């Protein structure tokens, strides 16, 4: 997974990444902050009015409209990377690659528990190179995808262990 995606280390930031970077640097024109990166506008009429006047929201936006996702872990991960390494895209992409590598390992463990050896290897390789995982390595705004996949895979492994051995979680 890492070898296939190594070219992302030379990629820069794209799209929403710049909005998140501005929030991490406490210079976002929106309502997002370093630990609430995906709270673009929070439904506060005063904030929304300011955002409309600044051109960040269209004039027809409802005074109490909100656009916020609860992603505290993703916010903490990205903000920590920014604090440690600054606005270097390679650091963010390397962290995403590390998450992807961990997910391949977890998926491999999952496949090994249910498939014959050869099938588990093929399934793990297919998981590793699947293009669905590429966006999360390239687009730091999608860091929540490999993070949530890791939690899902750990939950599946724990459930499988409980089913096989009665292991109490």
């Amino acid at each position: 997974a890492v070898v296939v995606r190594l070219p992302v280390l030379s990629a820069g930031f794209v799209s929403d990444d710049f909005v998140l970077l501005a929030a991490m640097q406490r210079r976002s024109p929106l309502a997002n902050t370093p630990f609430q990166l995906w709270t673009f506008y929070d439904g506060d009429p005063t904030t929304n009015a300011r955002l409309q006047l600044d051109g960040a929201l269209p004039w027809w936006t409802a005074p109490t409209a909100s656009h916020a996702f609860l992603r505290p872990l993703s916010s903490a991960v990205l903000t920590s990377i920014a604090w440690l390494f600054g606005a270097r895209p390679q650091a963010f992409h390397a962290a995403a690659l590390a998450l992807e590598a961990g997910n391949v390992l977890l998926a491999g463990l999952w496949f090994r528990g249910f498939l014959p050896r050869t099938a588990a290897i093929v399934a793990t390789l297919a998981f590793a190179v699947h293009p669905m995982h590429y966006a999360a390595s390239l687009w730091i705004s999608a860091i929540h995808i490999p993070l949530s996949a890791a939690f899902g895979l750990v939950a599946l492994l724990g459930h499988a262990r409980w089913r096989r051995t009665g292991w109490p979680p």
Side-chain angles (χ1 to χ4, degrees), residues 9-99:
L9 292 176
S10 63
F13 296 114
V14 295
S15 184
D16 295 349
D17 296 349
F18 294 102
V19 174
L20 300 185
L21 283 170
M24 287 182 257
Q25 297 166 351
R26 298 189 184 278
R27 57 177 183 82
S28 175
L30 301 175
N32 55 343
T33 63
F35 291 100
Q36 292 180 322
L37 293 177
W38 283 269
T39 300
F40 301 112
Y41 45 103
D42 57 8
D44 176 46
T46 306
T47 303
N48 284 1
R50 180 186 53 80
L51 293 173
Q52 286 172 328
L53 286 173
D54 292 344
L57 289 178
W59 62 267
W60 64 81
T61 303
T64 58
S66 66
H67 185 137
F69 300 103
L70 181 63
R71 295 182 180 154
L73 182 59
S74 299
S75 294
V77 166
L78 292 181
T79 299
S80 297
I81 294 168
W83 181 76
L84 290 169
F85 301 103
R88 293 186 183 92
Q90 298 83 4
F92 293 94
H93 297 309
L97 285 175
L99 279 167

Side-chain angles (χ1 to χ4, degrees), residues 65-166:
S66 66
H67 185 137
F69 300 103
L70 181 63
R71 295 182 180 154
L73 182 59
S74 299
S75 294
V77 166
L78 292 181
T79 299
S80 297
I81 294 168
W83 181 76
L84 290 169
F85 301 103
R88 293 186 183 92
Q90 298 83 4
F92 293 94
H93 297 309
L97 285 175
L99 279 167
E100 287 295 337
N103 284 342
V104 170
L105 175 67
L106 292 170
L109 291 172
W110 169 255
F111 295 136
R112 187 182 73 178
F114 291 96
L115 298 172
R117 180 177 165 77
T118 304
I121 291 170
V122 170
T124 303
L125 286 172
F127 183 90
V129 299
H130 196 283
M132 176 183 72
H133 306 292
Y134 189 74
S137 303
L138 179 63
W139 187 32
I140 67 160
S141 297
I143 196 77
H144 60 281
I145 295 170
L147 281 171
S148 60
F151 283 110
L153 288 163
V154 166
L156 283 172
L157 287 166
H159 178 75
R161 184 173 174 190
W162 169 73
R163 293 288 303 236
R164 276 194 314 271
T165 67

